[in-house]
């Protein structure tokens, strides 16, 4: 079936749920142009449900509803984080809810949930948060199809830096709560810990969030000693090392003390 045929079927609701397997398979196919074209269809048909007349009202378009539908799709790929990232990458451009940091954090913290998360959903949502943060600051989340390095012009770099600030402001207050809640979860903690390497640490001082920064570093050190898996250990060292080099003044001294203790 061609992309045009799939699009027509989706628009007229002629594609039964049982026949979505091939559509999902194309989300992890190459080349990227195919994946992203299918991502647009998946977003329109399965997440935004633009062509489903039974969906109406503002509530059906809320970030939480869209994220809940995305999590249903990600369940098909939960066993492989790389495939998970492919799907996120394919849909990311079209789905504003994946940049709604406050909504994602609220869902992870179970604040008045519209969507009940299973443990599997929670893991996928943490991965989605981490991957989306990487995307907004200009980093790849899937393997490159060539050996060329990413190049961005001055305007693009300014956008990425603005996004970095937005992410930091949205996450910094609740970041310790997320780390504390998922401290014992080896499937979630690596992705969660590494979010800080994409944040603007200067804002912790400018926004008077020094104590939150110290709480984050202490929780990362606790996670380092709690988990014996390489992925978790590597993520914690990477995060603490970033904090020890990118923070300033008293906060840098504090981060360096945690780095020494984790070695």
């Amino acid at each position: 079936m061609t992309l045009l045929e799939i699009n027509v079927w989706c628009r007229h609701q002629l594609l039964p749920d049982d026949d979505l397997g091939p559509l999902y398979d194309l989300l992890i196919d190459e080349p990227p142009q195919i994946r992203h074209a299918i991502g647009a269809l998946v977003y329109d048909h399965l997440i935004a449900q633009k062509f489903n007349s039974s969906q109406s009202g503002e509530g059906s378009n809320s970030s939480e509803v869209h994220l809940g539908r995305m999590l249903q799709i990600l369940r098909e790929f939960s066993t492989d984080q790389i495939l998970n990232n492919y799907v996120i990458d394919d849909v990311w451009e079209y789905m504003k809810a994946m940049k709604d940091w406050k909504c994602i954090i609220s869902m992870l913290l179970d604040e008045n949930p519209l969507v009940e998360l299973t443990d599997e959903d929670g893991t996928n949502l943490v991965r989605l948060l981490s991957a989306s943060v990487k995307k907004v600051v200009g980093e790849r989340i899937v393997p490159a199809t060539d050996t060329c390095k990413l190049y961005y012009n001055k305007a693009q770099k300014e956008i990425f830096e603005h996004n970095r600030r937005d992410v930091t402001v949205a996450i910094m207050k609740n970041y310790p709560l997320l780390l504390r809640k998922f401290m014992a979860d080896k499937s979630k903690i690596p992705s969660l810990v590494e979010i800080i390497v994409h944040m603007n640490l200067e804002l912790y001082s400018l926004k008077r969030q020094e104590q939150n920064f110290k709480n984050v570093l202490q929780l990362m050190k606790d996670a380092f000693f709690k988990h014996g898996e390489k992925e978790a250990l590597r993520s914690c060292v990477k995060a603490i090392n970033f904090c020890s080099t990118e923070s300033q003044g008293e906060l840098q001294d504090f981060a360096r003390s945690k780095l020494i203790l984790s070695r």
Side-chain angles (χ1 to χ4, degrees), residues 1 5 28 33 36 39 61 105 109 115 148 151 156-157 166 171 204 215-218 233:
M1 184 181 295
E5 290 173 328
I28 54 176
Q33 293 87 343
H36 293 150
N61 296 316
I105 292 169
L109 294 176
V115 179
C148 298
Y151 172 78
Q156 289 172 316
K157 290 178 180 178
D166 284 348
I171 290 177
Y204 275 96
N215 290 342
V216 166
L217 265 294
Q218 181 61 48
L233 296 175

Side-chain angles (χ1 to χ4, degrees), residues 21-226:
L23 198 62
Y24 289 156
D25 290 341
L26 289 173
L27 286 170
I28 54 176
D29 199 3
E30 297 291 351
Q33 293 87 343
I34 296 293
R35 293 193 291 104
H36 293 150
I38 295 298
L41 295 177
V42 166
Y43 174 73
D44 285 344
H45 182 62
L46 300 178
I47 298 173
Q49 299 189 356
K50 292 181 179 179
F51 312 113
N52 187 340
S53 59
S54 66
Q55 296 293 325
S56 60
E58 184 177 352
S60 64
N61 296 316
S62 74
S63 290
E64 190 165 355
V65 170
H66 284 190
L67 287 164
R69 292 170 185 159
M70 181 64 173
L71 290 174
Q72 291 177 19
I73 296 169
L74 291 177
R75 288 173 195 161
E76 302 292 326
F77 306 90
S78 291
T79 56
D80 191 323
Q81 185 171 353
I82 294 177
L83 298 183
N84 204 290
N85 281 347
Y86 268 100
V87 178
I88 293 169
D89 187 64
D90 298 338
V91 179
W92 188 86
E93 178 183 349
Y94 315 103
M95 186 174 167
K96 291 182 179 179
M98 279 205 274
K99 281 81 82 177
D100 191 339
W101 319 117
K102 291 183 179 180
C103 180
I104 295 172
I105 292 169
S106 177
M107 289 176 70
L108 287 170
L109 294 176
D110 293 326
E111 297 175 350
N112 303 315
L114 292 174
V115 179
E116 294 292 337
L117 300 183
T118 64
D119 182 64
E120 179 185 17
D121 290 336
T123 298
N124 287 335
L125 190 55
V126 167
R127 291 174 177 173
L128 184 151
L129 173 61
S130 177
S132 191
V133 167
K134 290 178 183 177
K135 289 280 289 182
V136 296
V137 299
E139 294 200 14
R140 287 191 177 110
I141 63 171
V142 299
T145 56
D146 53 46
T147 57
C148 298
K149 291 185 178 181
L150 291 174
Y151 172 78
Y152 297 115
N153 59 36
K154 182 179 178 181
Q156 289 172 316
K157 290 178 180 178
E158 288 176 351
I159 291 172
F160 294 146
E161 190 54 40
H162 178 78
N163 291 342
R164 194 184 305 275
R165 292 176 65 88
D166 284 348
V167 167
T168 305
V169 171
I171 290 177
M172 60 168 54
K173 290 184 179 180
N174 286 316
Y175 198 20
L177 299 179
L178 290 172
L179 290 170
R180 190 172 290 113
K181 177 175 180 178
F182 298 115
M183 172 67 66
D185 195 323
K186 65 180 181 181
S187 64
K188 297 180 180 65
I189 204 67
S191 297
L192 201 55
V193 163
E194 286 198 22
I195 288 174
I196 201 166
V197 306
H198 309 293
M199 293 167 63
N200 183 336
L201 301 188
E202 182 184 14
L203 292 178
Y204 275 96
S205 297
L206 294 177
K207 299 291 185 179
R208 298 184 178 179
Q209 294 294 315
E210 293 92 346
Q211 188 57 52
N212 264 333
F213 180 84
K214 292 179 179 180
N215 290 342
V216 166
L217 265 294
Q218 181 61 48
L219 288 164
M220 288 179 177
K221 191 201 81 169
D222 293 345
F224 177 86
F225 287 109
K226 188 174 188 66

